[in-house]
Amino acid sequence: MAEFGEDRRLPPVNFGHATVPSDEAAGKTHCEVSVLNGDCGISENMMCSDSPLRPGSQTGAENANTTVGPDAKSDIPRRSSIIKDGRQRKERKKTVSFSSMPTEKKISRVSDCISAMVDGSELKKVRSNSRVYHRYFLLDADMQSLRWEPTKKESEKAKIDVKSIKEVRTGKNTDTFRTNGTYDQISEDCAFSIIFGENYESLDLVANTADVANIWVTGLRYLISYGKHTLNMIESSQNNLRSSWLSDLFDEEDVNHNRQIAICTAVQLIKKLNPGLKNVKIELKFKEFHKAQDKSGSDVTKDEFAEVFHDLCTRPEIYFLFVQFSSNKEFLDTKDLMIFLEAEQGMAQVSEDTSLEVIHNYEPSKEGQLKGWLSLDGFSNYLMSSECHIFDPEHKSVCQDMNQPLSHYYINASHNTYLIEDQFRGPSDVTGYIRALKMGCRCVELDVWDGSDNEPVIYTGHTMTSQIVFHSVIDVINKYAFVASDFPLILCLENHCSVKQQKVMFQHLKKILGDRIHIDPPKLEECYLPSPSELKGKILLKGKKLGTACTASEGEVTDEDEGAEMSQRMSIDSAEQQTNAHKKIPLLKDLSDLVTLCKSVEFNDFPTSFQNQKPWELCSFNEVFATRCACDFPGDFVNYNKKFLARVYPSPMRIDSSNMNPQDFWKCGCQIVAMNYQTPGLMMDLNIGWFRQNGNCGYVLRPAIMREQVSYFSANTKDSVPGVSPQLLHIKIISGQNFPKPKGSGAKGDVVDPYVYVEIHGIPADCAEQRTKTVHQNGDNPLFDESFEFQINLPELTMVRFVVLDDDYIGDEFIGQYTIPFECLQPGFRHVPLQSLTGEVLPHTLLFVHVAMTNRRGGGKPHKRGLSVRKGKRSREYTSMRVLQIKDVDEVFKTALLPLREATDLRENMQNAIVAFKELCGLSAVANLKQCILALSPRLTGPDNSPLLVFNLNDQYPNLEFQGLLPEVLKKVVTTYDMMIQTSKTLLESSDSVYDRILQTQKAAGSD
């Protein structure tokens, strides 16, 4: 074997399916990173090759139609600061990409996989000594052995008998991979391992592309199931459920029994079965088929119809998944489907009846329906149904506690709701209110000025915006106030009217809104505002209010002019602006009395507010000043918002109606972040996505750490949050479906070069993004097959955004996006329905992804977290106490330190034991225990199919019992399993007493 030497360079390694990384691609220097996620190559200095490849063979890169541009190593642009709506364009940065499959040849039958394996593939063989060897692997024609070359071994030793293979494991889930020095540079999606022999040895391999890895994994699993009978099974499967179903469909259309149908009929039939396909593409496929057969005429036979359907409607990525879970590789029976639903989709309380219901709803063939079998087409139908939507249906209705004080919720809010364009000269229209209220907005703004004919009007003062009559707006609000939500609606009344027209305002409000207006005065003894549930169906007016001492019909208050407030904050030296900001205006007492729970007051500083502000008093913060508070007083800002409502509005300098990032203020606990609803883009995507999580009712309960008085949280935390267990989020972008051309693109034709960004939005410690490679000239069914991992430190405040862009754009690159709160993600294989720039669902435009989450603590680089928990010498992070310098209080809370430390140890010991068990089962840290048991089950039987280990479920805690002599690898599994059970048992039996001790401290603090 060739050794590394100072004076000898190894031949260059060709990368398949890769994107050339930039220095910024992962926030590292070029010497630290050699491949981007999704690249299946190994860096050149890690590769060994002691002789040429098999004569006549092609490398993965040669097969991939490589196109390398002159600027291939230029930086891939980071997108965090860009509103990905196609309106803001930076200089295009070219990337190098390789198509995933040559000339659109799709692997969609096991025969395709076996054929490809017999032809052979270039794979990289990984060893534990940090060496990676370039080898050519192939399946013998008799399908009995797997061989590789070149090798120094005798040819008979450089092979594995198929019958000795115990399992085929995907990903980097063996000790060889975990301890290899090239771990960071190997794509999870291109790696797989063959476990063979009585000692469970592993052959660890890396393919040039995820597609090649899928071919080998699928083919080998089929061979394990059927062995020497594989060919017979392949031949018999030609008359499968799909064939009988398509035959029935064809016969229904062949009314004249001619054994052929018109091409237009065939096109419409396939279009009906797969609505996302374009008619032109279907027709072209039939014509290509006829041309290849030198056939005259355009009628379509049954075989031609079935072949074109197979070619256009079989998705390889779903086929690979289907074979993985099918015990006979041809269909899923009820037990196969139960395993898939429970282990992968996270469905609870699954029974055979559950499987039968899925089959009944989605299996298209009569035979499958009768026998309780789910075909590939039925499986595809299920995965594309609403049941497999990424959004958890539980969150489609109100699912949070709505009995907390109003200040404990984020409230969906609109800024200058009446404007439908820019802030300076744009038109005002009642449709702004209709749209906002229908979208679940619970806080709208009315900027009221004197109008002609003694009728108040709404518009932005001192600008050229048009005017709308006040009473017409109140009419619209009355009609739409509770269409989307029953919870309270806040009207931000910015009153600039004379007393005369204030009387007209009052009359309109009383006459139109009547009893809906909340007029009960606040209870002085209450420390918090009422809950949304208590205020259902009520309209709250936010505005200035006269003091209780005022008994006259009118009085004076400070003018509430947001522009003047901004000037005051930003230009302290200007005496004129100071005077204007504190200008007194008259206020009608009747109008003042309508303001109860949302009295507008001016903010001075946090100490003053903590001492003097009442719960029903509300401060408005200009975005610039709020940002300053968030930076200079992050902890105080969060504590302030535990008790008081805070409204943040955009800087008046945003004349174009652009939006601030609401996350910047949500992380401080600010409840009302007013958005310009008329302006689409990233910021509105975040706002709309965020408020979906509670039935789109306009209220979202804030994280507990932002509500509880005893907790401390800083808005600028760049690390884990004390008391909150971080989550590890694993997202695999598998494929896309029916991507349209960007709406504003100036490029000719309909072809797109899509790539996907996965963005994480949350506290600073959580903000991250990753992008896939570009798939060239394929918007119909681009395959990405790339996995990303993110550590989420505050899940309750995190959102995930999928953005699809066109790498070959002219003028507009935005294809679609979908934004979802972390709490609403469903695990498993899911479809993501993409939305347009303005929020409409794009028909049949989907991303296919896999989502997995775990609460295991991580550390270090994202892809090394699997090692850091168990093997890393990382000190544990224990909850600490914030010293208040009040001796009695500090002494009370000190008593909680020991039980909190014990609680951390109990949790960490259990989590570490679970991770160790997952690794021995050959799974990653994001796997669940059901998947572990499934992965373990094939190893629990001996050569004669007698059980080596059995689960004893009679005791309170399930244990594994020996049934004979065990190989060393199984003894290790039993030991690790016992440790997992023991640590779990200790946690369950000790948790109540630890919790009681913490509770005693809390009660003692409360009594003091």
Side-chain angles (χ1 to χ4, degrees), residues 242-281:
R242 171 182 279 183
S243 300
S244 62
W245 167 58
L246 291 177
S247 177
D248 290 343
L249 288 176
F250 186 91
D251 290 342
E252 288 176 14
E253 296 297 329
D254 182 18
V255 291
N256 296 322
H257 306 292
N258 296 328
R259 297 187 178 181
Q260 53 187 12
I261 58 177
I263 190 170
C264 59
T265 304
V267 168
Q268 288 306 314
L269 185 52
I270 289 181
K271 173 78 173 177
K272 181 180 177 181
L273 298 173
N274 190 342
L277 286 174
K278 297 181 179 71
N279 286 9
V280 174
K281 181 172 182 177

Side-chain angles (χ1 to χ4, degrees), residues 206-236:
V206 181
N208 283 335
T209 71
D211 299 305
V212 173
N214 280 330
I215 289 168
W216 279 90
V217 169
T218 301
L220 286 169
R221 284 175 172 168
Y222 203 101
L223 288 168
I224 293 170
S225 293
Y226 291 110
K228 62 184 180 181
H229 302 297
T230 296
L231 279 177
N232 295 333
M233 284 302 303
I234 291 173
E235 289 174 7
S236 66

Side-chain angles (χ1 to χ4, degrees), residues 19-30:
T19 304
V20 173
S22 69
D23 294 347
E24 291 181 289
K28 304 173 185 176
T29 60
H30 187 70

Side-chain angles (χ1 to χ4, degrees), residues 736-936:
Q737 291 291 300
N738 309 311
F739 291 161
K741 196 175 186 63
K743 207 167 186 179
S745 175
K748 295 181 179 179
D750 293 323
V751 177
V752 294
D753 294 350
Y755 63 99
V756 182
Y757 263 97
V758 181
E759 303 170 351
I760 306 297
H761 297 268
I763 61 173
D766 292 340
C767 290
E769 62 178 17
Q770 293 279 7
R771 66 154 284 178
T772 68
K773 66 183 179 296
T774 298
V775 177
H776 283 287
Q777 298 188 350
N778 187 351
D780 295 330
N781 184 23
L783 296 174
F784 299 100
D785 272 324
E786 294 190 50
S787 298
F788 307 110
E789 279 187 0
F790 305 93
Q791 178 161 316
I792 310 297
N793 294 286
L794 187 56
E796 290 177 278
L797 204 61
T798 298
M799 278 191 289
V800 181
R801 186 171 185 252
F802 301 91
V803 190
V804 182
L805 303 172
D806 183 7
D807 208 8
D808 190 30
Y809 68 95
I810 298 176
D812 183 10
E813 60 179 341
F814 180 86
I815 293 174
Q817 69 84 32
Y818 187 79
T819 306
I820 180 172
F822 179 88
E823 301 281 292
C824 299
L825 289 169
Q826 287 209 95
F829 291 91
R830 304 289 171 183
H831 276 94
V832 182
L834 295 179
Q835 298 176 342
S836 69
L837 173 62
T838 50
E840 291 87 12
V841 175
L842 295 168
H844 314 298
T845 303
L846 305 164
L847 270 180
F848 186 41
V849 303
H850 180 264
V851 178
M853 294 161 278
T854 177
N855 61 358
R856 179 186 53 77
R857 286 178 175 267
K861 298 176 184 177
H863 40 255
K864 295 293 282 184
R865 290 189 190 119
L867 298 175
S868 64
V869 171
R870 193 163 63 91
K871 300 178 181 177
K873 295 183 179 179
R874 177 176 58 84
S875 60
R876 284 187 175 169
E877 298 172 3
Y878 293 104
T879 302
S880 59
M881 294 291 179
R882 186 185 181 199
V883 179
L884 299 176
Q885 304 299 335
I886 304 172
K887 185 177 180 182
D888 291 343
V889 176
D890 289 339
E891 288 298 321
V892 168
F893 278 102
K894 271 185 184 178
T895 61
L897 283 174
L898 185 58
L900 285 171
R901 189 181 183 92
E902 289 178 24
T904 300
D905 286 337
L906 288 169
R907 181 189 64 205
E908 296 269 336
N909 289 343
M910 182 196 70
Q911 290 178 347
N912 290 351
I914 290 173
V915 169
F917 180 65
K918 288 177 181 178
E919 288 183 355
L920 276 180
C921 291
L923 297 173
S924 65
V926 293
N928 57 52
L929 290 179
K930 290 173 184 173
Q931 291 168 329
C932 291
I933 301 302
L934 285 172
L936 193 61

Side-chain angles (χ1 to χ4, degrees), residues 315-599:
R315 290 171 54 184
E317 70 277 24
I318 291 182
Y319 173 72
F320 290 137
L321 179 62
F322 177 78
V323 171
Q324 179 183 341
F325 283 91
S326 171
S327 53
N328 71 356
K329 313 305 176 194
E330 299 305 324
F331 55 80
L332 298 175
D333 61 23
T334 53
K335 290 183 179 178
D336 294 335
L337 190 52
M338 281 175 63
I339 290 170
F340 175 76
L341 296 175
E342 201 168 24
E344 281 298 337
Q345 303 300 85
M347 193 181 288
Q349 299 178 328
V350 177
S351 66
E352 287 201 48
D353 287 340
T354 312
S355 295
L356 287 171
E357 186 178 349
V358 171
I359 292 167
H360 174 74
N361 290 335
Y362 301 106
E363 173 53 41
S365 72
K366 293 176 183 176
E367 184 183 359
Q369 290 269 359
L370 288 171
K371 294 182 177 179
W373 296 343
L374 192 69
S375 66
L376 174 60
D377 298 295
F379 189 55
S380 299
N381 291 341
Y382 170 67
L383 287 175
M384 295 181 71
S385 72
S386 58
E387 289 189 49
C388 290
H389 193 298
I390 194 171
F391 190 90
D392 187 343
E394 181 184 337
H395 291 269
K396 290 184 178 180
S397 56
V398 176
C399 57
Q400 297 177 347
D401 177 9
M402 301 304 290
N403 297 305
Q404 300 280 330
L406 210 60
S407 59
H408 286 184
Y409 298 85
Y410 296 111
I411 302 173
N412 197 352
S414 163
H415 172 248
N416 287 355
T417 317
Y418 47 89
L419 293 178
I420 57 174
E421 288 182 15
D422 66 77
Q423 301 286 311
F424 188 71
R425 56 172 61 89
S428 303
D429 199 287
V430 292
T431 57
Y433 291 94
I434 296 172
R435 181 170 181 268
L437 292 170
K438 281 186 171 182
M439 291 173 68
C441 182
R442 294 288 84 196
C443 181
V444 297
E445 190 172 345
L446 298 87
D447 207 343
V448 193
W449 299 78
D450 280 353
S452 58
D453 300 326
N454 201 34
E455 277 292 342
V457 292
I458 292 177
Y459 74 106
T460 304
H462 318 297
T463 69
M464 299 166 65
T465 57
S466 64
Q467 303 176 2
I468 47 177
V469 180
F470 176 77
H471 75 77
S472 65
V473 171
I474 300 302
D475 277 330
V476 163
I477 289 172
N478 185 53
K479 183 176 180 181
Y480 292 95
F482 301 104
V483 167
S485 172
D486 292 332
F487 293 105
L489 173 66
I490 300 172
L491 304 186
C492 293
L493 207 60
E494 200 169 307
N495 173 21
H496 305 282
C497 291
S498 61
V499 171
K500 182 180 179 182
Q501 294 210 10
Q502 286 183 39
K503 290 178 181 178
V504 178
M505 283 174 60
F506 173 77
Q507 289 168 2
H508 288 321
L509 289 168
K510 288 296 289 182
K511 181 179 178 182
I512 298 170
L513 300 181
D515 293 340
R516 284 183 166 182
I517 301 176
H518 182 276
I519 57 173
D520 297 334
K523 297 175 182 177
L524 301 181
E525 69 277 8
E526 294 288 344
C527 297
Y528 289 95
L529 289 169
S531 70
S533 287
E534 293 175 83
L535 296 169
K536 264 188 174 182
K538 290 296 181 181
I539 294 176
L540 310 180
L541 262 61
K542 170 202 167 287
K544 289 291 184 176
K545 188 172 177 66
L546 297 170
T548 53
C550 179
T551 56
S553 61
E554 61 183 76
E556 282 193 336
V557 293
T558 306
D559 187 17
E560 188 175 26
D561 189 326
E562 291 180 350
E565 286 181 25
M566 194 271 307
S567 299
Q568 180 190 9
R569 300 294 181 192
M570 301 303 295
S571 306
I572 298 299
D573 297 335
S574 172
E576 181 181 345
Q577 288 170 341
Q578 284 265 30
T579 304
N580 187 54
H582 291 90
K583 184 177 71 174
K584 295 288 185 178
I585 61 166
L587 177 61
L588 184 72
K589 188 172 189 304
D590 285 342
L591 200 56
S592 169
D593 290 343
L594 295 181
V595 176
T596 54
L597 300 180
C598 296
K599 176 186 175 182

